[in-house]
Structures are given as C-alpha cells and as structure tokens.
C-alpha cells in the first residue's frame, strides 16, 4: 500500500469516527467518552498533514480545545431526564445508572439512600421536572409536586457525571424532620375550657347532591348572627373544631363543623360522612369533598337567609377559596395552609386569587408562608383581603388555634381582626 492510499484511508477513517462518535457510546457511560472518541477521529484526519506547520498548529489548537471539554462543558440533560422518567413511572430503574456510589441524602446515613430514593420516587405526587441551567458539576432544575407547588434546587455531579447529591430530596427530608419535631412539641388534639363547656353543638345531617349524607355539628347562638362553615384537613373530621367553634360562638358567630367525605378517624371520633361514602361504594378524593362544601353552604344560606363565611384547613382551605371565587352564596373565606393540592384537576391558587374580589384571610405556618406568597405575586390585595404570616413557627392547618397550642393567640388576634371587620 502506497503512502497516498494510506493517507486516504486515515483521512476517511478519521471523518467516519468523528461522524459516529456521538452515536456509538452507550448512554450509561460518561458523556465525555464521546468527546474522546471524536478526538481520535480528529487526530487520524489531521495526522497526514503533520508536515505542514500551519496544520500542526491548527491540530494542536483543536485537540487542546476538545481535551478541555470534559473539564468545562456541562451537559446533564440525560441524568435530569432519567430522574424525570423515574418520577413519571414511579420506578428508580431509570435514574439508577446515573447514581454515584457516594450518593447520600443529608442528614440521613448512607445505608438509607436506596429506601429513601425509592420512597420519594414512588410516592411523591409528581407533576413536572425540567432542567433550567447547568454549571460546573451542578444542574439547576425546576420541579412541581402536588401540594408543594413550583420550586427550584440543584443536582450535584462527580467528574464522571454521576449524581452525588440531590438538594430536592435533602430539602424534603429536612422539611419532614422539622415538621415531626414541631408536631412532637405541639398540642395533638383540641382541648377544653369553660368556653368549650358553655357552647355545646347539636348534630345535623345534610344531603349532598349525589346522595351521600353529610354529618355536622351545629353551634348556634342566634339565628340572626353571621354564620361560618368549618371544614377540616386531610385525615381529620369535624372534631378539629371542638375548641375553635365555641370561641367563635363567644365572638358572635354561628358555626357548622362538618365531616367531609375525604377524611378519617381523629380525636376519638369517626368521620361519618366518609363512612357513608364508602358504604355507597365510593373511594373519595380530596377534590370530591367540594360537593360536601357546596351542600353545607346551601344548607346554611337557606337556614339563616344570609351569605356564608367558609373556613378551611389544609386541602379544604383551597376548596373554600374555590367556593369564594365561584359561589354567590359565599361572603368570605378563611384559609389555613392552602396549596395546589389537586394537580391539573383544579385551577391553581394564583388563578383563583386573581378572580376574587371578596374578603379573605389566608395564613399558614411560617415555613409554608414563602411558597404561599408566590400565589399573590400578580395580585393586588384589597383592604378586606389579608395574608397573615406569623412571628412564631406556627403549624399546618386550623390546629394552630387549639387551646394550649404554641403561637395560637397570635393567630387568634389576626382572625379576630378579620372577622370583626366582616360584621
């Protein structure tokens, strides 16, 4: 074989290698393997021209450029997409090839990494995840999960492009640990005092539009007094308001605390509405409870011949805001820890607040306040609309008002100010 043929073969081989370099390397290998293969092809293509000093200088510059790519270029789209697939399919197999053996979720020990990852990937109600930007060994992602709203955080990588740290999961762990710590230090259920003993409810039942019977406790002081509908948080029942409703009576309000079909046993009481719904073959979701709110509003508006104030806790506070925006029989709303709990099955809080021109009082724990505030970013609040952020840590939902609860009086002062202005 003469030199001319060898030159042609090397040139053609180099071009072919450069063209296929980004297609033949398996995805599980670090991305810069593709660049190194490209470098080999480039070297073969340039080698026959080595006698030309100009070509040699050009070759050196190009090779140096590509040699530096592994240290400078950052492309973590494959890893982020794999994480997204794991959340979408509730299976860690998509992200596992991209995980470093050094991965751990602080402050938990390394041996808990696998179970924690599996638990979060399979159980967290995923909505979306997208790559925002990359930097050296990091990728910033924006994610959205039902109940958490939109947030951003970083994923960290080692020199091989393997994931060594996921801030999203670390933040969720820390949030859960803080909530558990607060719960251990908090009052676990409503208490009693002279006011609670003074105002005792009567039991009522209300038919929902689909035939489910809604159970409620009616705290009535005066048929002419303004009236508040009290709705509990997930897993609870009307007992959430055992020591709240009497204090509202003392302030001059009639109250109806209901069992919604999405709830459970709490404070030694069963959720009677949920039991009736299950007897009818239903498997109610939180959003299904909206028809319970509608039926209770209709009942109170007819009984007292006036518009109703709707008070919600956690998921039901979002339902209360929906009713405020759309139901002409609702005068105002109090929302304790609202959020976008229903994914794409319902409008967002931001959309809801944008349509409301009636009075509302919105509050939460201090840690929930910042993401909640984003729902108001494009809304100019009126004088009768209030977002209360506590000085204390607070708690999730209406439980923050229970007798003996740390920070309760701070919330009661704000609630009293809002309700007094409604009379």
């Amino acid at each position: 074989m003469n030199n001319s043929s060898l030159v042609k073969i090397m040139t053609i081989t180099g071009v072919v290698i450069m063209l296929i370099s980004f297609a033949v390397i398996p995805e599980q290998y670090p991305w810069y393997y593709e660049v190194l293969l490209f470098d080999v092809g480039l070297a073969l293509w340039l080698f026959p021209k080595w006698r030309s000093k100009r070509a040699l200088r050009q070759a050196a510059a190009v090779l140096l450029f590509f040699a530096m790519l592994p240290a400078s270029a950052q492309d973590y789209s494959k890893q982020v997409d794999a994480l997204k697939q794991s959340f979408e399919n509730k299976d860690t197999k998509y992200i596992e090839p991209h995980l470093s053996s050094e991965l751990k979720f602080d402050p938990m020990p390394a041996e808990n990494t696998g179970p924690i990852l599996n638990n979060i990937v399979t159980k967290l109600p995923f909505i979306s995840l997208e790559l925002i930007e990359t930097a050296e060994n990091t990728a910033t992602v924006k994610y959205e999960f039902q109940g958490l709203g939109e947030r951003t955080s970083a994923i960290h990588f080692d020199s091989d492009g393997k994931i060594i740290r996921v801030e999203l999961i670390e933040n969720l762990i820390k949030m859960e640990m803080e909530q558990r710590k607060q719960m251990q230090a908090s009052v676990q259920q409503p208490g009693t005092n002279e006011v609670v003993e003074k105002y005792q409810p009567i039991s009522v039942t209300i038919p929902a539009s689909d035939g489910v019977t809604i159970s409620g406790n009616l705290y009535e002081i005066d048929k002419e007094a303004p009236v508040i509908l009290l709705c509990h948080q997930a897993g609870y029942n009307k007992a959430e308001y055992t020591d709240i409703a009497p204090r509202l009576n003392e302030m001059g309000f009639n109250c109806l605390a209901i069992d919604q079909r999405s709830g459970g046993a709490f404070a030694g009481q069963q959720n009677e509405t949920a039991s009736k719904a299950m007897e009818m073959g239903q498997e109610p979701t939180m959003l299904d409870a909206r028809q319970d709110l509608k039926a209770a509003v209709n009942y109170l508006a007819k009984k007292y011949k006036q518009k109703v104030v709707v008070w919600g806790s956690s998921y039901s506070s979002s339902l209360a805001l929906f009713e405020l925006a759309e139901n002409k029989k609702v005068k105002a709303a109090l929302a304790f820890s609202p959020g976008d709990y229903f994914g794409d099955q319902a409008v967002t809080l931001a959309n809801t607040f944008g349509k409301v021109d009636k009075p509302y009082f919105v509050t939460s724990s201090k840690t929930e306040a910042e993401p909640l505030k984003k729902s108001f970013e494009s809304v100019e609040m009126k004088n009768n609309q209030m977002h209360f952020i506590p000085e204390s840590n607070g708690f999730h939902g209406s439980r923050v008002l229970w007798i003996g609860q740390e920070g309760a009086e701070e919330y009661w002062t704000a609630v009293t100010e809002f309700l007094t202005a409604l009379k």
Side-chain angles (χ1 to χ4, degrees), residues 2 5 83 104 121 124 137 143 215 251 263 290 312 322 406 409:
N2 57 38
S5 298
L83 182 59
K104 67 185 295 287
V121 163
L124 208 60
N137 297 326
Y143 59 89
S215 297
M251 292 167 58
R290 188 172 179 183
F322 295 164
E406 182 181 353
E409 289 309 313

Side-chain angles (χ1 to χ4, degrees), residues 39-87:
D39 285 352
V40 172
L42 183 65
L44 288 172
W45 177 65
L46 290 171
F47 183 76
K49 306 175 178 61
W50 70 272
R51 286 188 176 86
S52 166
K53 291 183 178 180
R54 181 180 178 185
L56 190 59
R57 287 196 298 269
Q58 291 176 342
V62 172
L63 286 171
L64 180 62
F65 171 77
F66 280 102
M68 292 175 63
L69 274 178
S72 59
Q74 306 291 334
D75 181 5
Y76 301 121
S77 55
K78 291 180 182 178
Q79 295 92 322
V80 172
D81 187 61
L83 182 59
K84 180 180 179 181
Q85 289 184 63
S86 283
F87 278 117

Side-chain angles (χ1 to χ4, degrees), residues 357-370:
D357 60 0
K358 292 184 281 188
Y360 59 73
F361 173 90
V362 177
T363 191
S364 65
S365 67
K366 183 175 286 186
T367 56
E368 296 169 319
E370 192 60 34

Side-chain angles (χ1 to χ4, degrees), residues 187 189-190 228-234 236-245 248 260 266 310-317 334-338 341 361 363-365 368 394-403 405 407-408 411-412 415:
V187 172
Q189 62 183 40
I228 301 175
L229 172 63
L230 301 170
C231 307
H232 60 75
Q233 61 182 282
Y236 280 26
N237 55 53
K238 57 184 176 290
E240 182 173 356
Y241 295 96
T242 299
D243 68 8
I244 295 174
L248 294 172
Q260 295 118 232
F266 167 70
V310 181
W311 176 316
S313 176
S314 189
Y315 88 89
S316 69
S317 65
L334 291 91
F336 287 76
S337 302
Y341 298 108
F361 173 90
T363 191
S364 65
S365 67
E368 296 169 319
F395 298 95
H396 182 79
S398 297
R399 62 179 292 130
V400 74
L401 296 171
W402 290 342
I403 293 172
Q405 196 72 278
Y411 283 85
W412 271 116
V415 168

Side-chain angles (χ1 to χ4, degrees), residues 173-326:
I173 292 171
K174 291 173 183 176
M175 187 185 304
E176 175 67 18
M177 293 176 69
E178 182 61 29
Q179 288 176 348
R180 288 184 181 181
K181 181 179 178 181
Q182 289 186 23
M183 286 294 289
Q184 290 172 355
S186 77
V187 172
Q188 299 300 306
Q189 62 183 40
T192 187
N193 59 17
E194 292 181 359
V195 174
V196 174
E197 296 297 328
K198 178 180 178 181
Y199 298 99
Q200 293 296 312
I202 60 172
S203 297
V204 299
T205 56
I206 305 164
S209 59
D210 65 348
V212 172
T213 301
I214 303 164
S215 297
N217 283 340
L218 180 63
Y219 297 79
E220 184 181 80
I221 55 170
D222 184 343
K223 292 187 182 296
E224 301 300 319
V227 60
I228 301 175
L229 172 63
L230 301 170
C231 307
H232 60 75
Q233 61 182 282
Y236 280 26
N237 55 53
K238 57 184 176 290
E240 182 173 356
Y241 295 96
T242 299
D243 68 8
I244 295 174
R247 184 157 177 174
L248 294 172
N249 283 165
E250 189 83 350
M251 292 167 58
F253 291 87
N254 296 317
C255 297
L256 172 64
I258 62 170
D259 284 348
Q260 295 118 232
R261 68 188 66 196
S262 179
F266 167 70
Q269 297 186 28
Q270 297 298 314
N271 185 311
E272 297 173 288
T273 306
S275 297
K276 295 287 177 57
M278 293 178 67
E279 287 172 8
M280 295 176 63
Q282 295 188 14
E283 295 182 3
T285 66
M286 293 188 297
L287 196 56
D288 291 330
R290 188 172 179 183
Q291 56 195 308
D292 303 329
L293 272 70
K294 288 181 179 293
V297 167
N298 289 337
Y299 169 83
L300 292 173
K302 181 178 180 180
K303 179 176 178 64
Y304 294 101
K305 297 180 175 56
Q306 60 175 287
K307 292 184 177 181
V308 179
V309 177
V310 181
W311 176 316
S313 176
S314 189
Y315 88 89
S316 69
S317 65
S318 296
L319 299 183
L321 291 168
F322 295 164
E323 290 303 305
L324 180 67
E326 300 177 12

